[in-house]
Amino acid sequence: MSGKTSENMSILTDQHVQKFMDDGFLVLEGFLDPDECDALRERMKEIVEKMDVPKHCRIQFSTDHDEQLKTQGSADYFITSGDKIRFFFEKDVFDDKGEFIVPKELSVNKVGHALHAHDASYKSVTHSPSVQNLVKKLGLENPVVLQSMYIFKQPGIGGEVTPHQDATFLYTEPLGRVMGVWIALEDVTQQNGCLWFIPGSHKNGITRRFVRTPQGSDSLTDFVGQEQKYDSELFIPTPVRKGGVVLIHGEVVHQSAQNTSNVSRHAYAFHIMESKNTRWSPDNWLQPTPEQPFPSLYT
């Protein structure tokens, strides 16, 4: 990557910081330039062309994980993806034998969860001076990168993401130490599945966690607690132009609708954590490994 993000990023002002603290999310246009977006999309095209996923691991991705973790093989494929580049698929893209029934480049829901560690293009953007400067402005002293993913939101079939909080899946003590950085690689509209947020909902804690289960359990992961019911009228849409970034507090409630349009909505997203005086829960599905500890954002 060219590193041009530092020249083109929107300046994070004190007013921006206050809005993020008040609302739990913030949209900044012009973070990447169009050429940088195109380069990330082209690199992902190359990765998908070379993907080789065993049939027993060809699983649908869902924030509820109700479909994707039905078998031991698929659950293991997911839970061990934190330090790898793996592929998760949309619903109804395979026949009963696990063969693709749509072009494979249109079948993928997302690729994760360690693009930032294993691919130079995504690592460069993740650790760019622009990202570092944003995070420093928000006051993070020792941020580490937890995970990264490329999200496709395929035309016509890009699946709905139900209301959720990232802290459900990435739990820390104390809460409030995780932030998502979501970069639009194409224009994002209400028609192709933009993010929707409930402003201020990051101030109410969480009621559900997604955890690893004790050894010997029937499944490798499970939910503890229940997701709250949310008034649909409280959500507001956040369209963003190609190259814009959305900063997402770990506890803010957000969702996106199915993409019923004829254009995709590609995005690159990653999560960071303030590691100073923070305990990463050993129950989280995502765990650092000796080979791949959570890397410092500032190095």
Side-chain angles (χ1 to χ4, degrees):
M1 298 296 291
S2 65
K4 289 181 285 186
T5 49
S6 60
E7 301 171 6
N8 296 337
M9 65 165 287
S10 300
I11 301 300
L12 193 63
T13 65
D14 290 343
Q15 289 75 23
H16 285 136
V17 173
Q18 188 61 52
K19 185 169 178 57
F20 178 75
M21 298 302 180
D22 290 343
D23 293 345
F25 66 96
L26 179 69
V27 178
L28 296 170
E29 298 285 3
F31 189 73
L32 296 187
D33 69 28
D35 289 343
E36 289 178 297
C37 295
D38 292 343
L40 290 177
R41 290 178 59 204
E42 187 61 31
R43 176 61 188 136
M44 183 50 61
K45 181 180 178 182
E46 296 170 355
I47 292 172
V48 170
E49 285 175 350
K50 295 177 181 178
M51 75 175 176
D52 183 18
V53 182
K55 290 183 181 179
H56 71 281
C57 296
R58 294 180 179 179
I59 53 178
Q60 173 194 345
F61 179 78
S62 163
T63 51
D64 282 330
H65 301 273
D66 51 354
E67 295 294 330
Q68 69 164 338
L69 305 181
K70 283 183 175 179
T71 68
Q72 183 77 16
S74 61
D76 183 72
Y77 183 80
F78 171 78
I79 205 171
T80 59
S81 66
D83 59 354
K84 301 175 181 66
I85 296 177
R86 287 186 169 170
F87 304 87
F88 304 91
F89 298 94
E90 292 290 354
K91 187 177 180 181
D92 300 329
V93 297
F94 303 115
D95 62 19
D96 55 7
K97 297 180 180 178
E99 301 292 349
F100 290 97
I101 57 176
V102 301
K104 69 177 184 179
E105 66 271 14
L106 297 177
S107 69
V108 186
N109 173 288
K110 76 171 188 174
V111 175
H113 290 93
L115 287 162
H116 65 281
H118 297 305
D119 188 89
S121 295
Y122 296 98
K123 183 176 183 179
S124 176
V125 170
T126 305
H127 293 270
S128 69
S130 296
V131 171
Q132 293 175 353
N133 290 337
L134 281 180
V135 172
K136 286 176 181 176
K137 183 68 175 179
L138 289 170
L140 277 69
E141 296 183 43
N142 296 311
V144 296
V145 184
L146 300 174
Q147 65 170 3
S148 55
M149 64 197 84
Y150 189 104
I151 307 165
F152 293 80
K153 206 73 165 178
Q154 302 283 8
I157 62 170
E160 173 190 15
V161 177
T162 56
H164 69 284
Q165 298 162 285
D166 292 343
T168 289
F169 305 93
L170 308 171
Y171 182 78
T172 62
E173 296 175 352
L175 281 170
R177 299 305 181 97
V178 171
M179 182 179 75
V181 180
W182 194 98
I183 303 172
L185 302 181
E186 300 179 288
D187 287 342
V188 176
T189 67
Q190 291 190 46
Q191 288 68 43
N192 69 356
C194 72
L195 299 174
W196 294 67
F197 292 89
I198 299 180
S201 56
H202 61 301
K203 302 174 183 178
N204 301 322
I206 66 172
T207 59
R208 184 176 71 149
R209 287 189 58 201
F210 182 66
V211 299
R212 292 180 177 233
T213 54
Q215 220 171 11
S217 303
D218 292 338
S219 61
L220 298 180
T221 57
D222 199 5
F223 281 104
V224 176
Q226 297 291 326
E227 190 69 62
Q228 299 180 55
K229 300 297 183 182
Y230 303 107
D231 182 348
S232 61
E233 295 185 0
L234 296 178
F235 286 90
I236 66 169
T238 57
V240 56
R241 292 188 293 275
K242 179 179 179 178
V245 64
V246 185
L247 305 181
I248 305 172
H249 190 285
E251 292 161 72
V252 72
V253 179
H254 57 292
Q255 65 178 8
S256 66
Q258 180 176 343
N259 181 6
T260 57
S261 77
N262 61 359
V263 293
S264 57
R265 191 221 65 184
H266 289 203
Y268 175 57
F270 54 94
H271 286 91
I272 59 178
M273 175 185 73
E274 171 57 85
S275 64
K276 183 178 180 180
N277 298 326
T278 303
R279 178 179 180 266
W280 179 253
S281 174
D283 296 332
N284 286 337
W285 77 267
L286 175 68
Q287 294 295 324
T289 64
E291 299 77 20
Q292 182 59 52
F294 296 146
S296 170
L297 181 74
Y298 293 155
T299 58

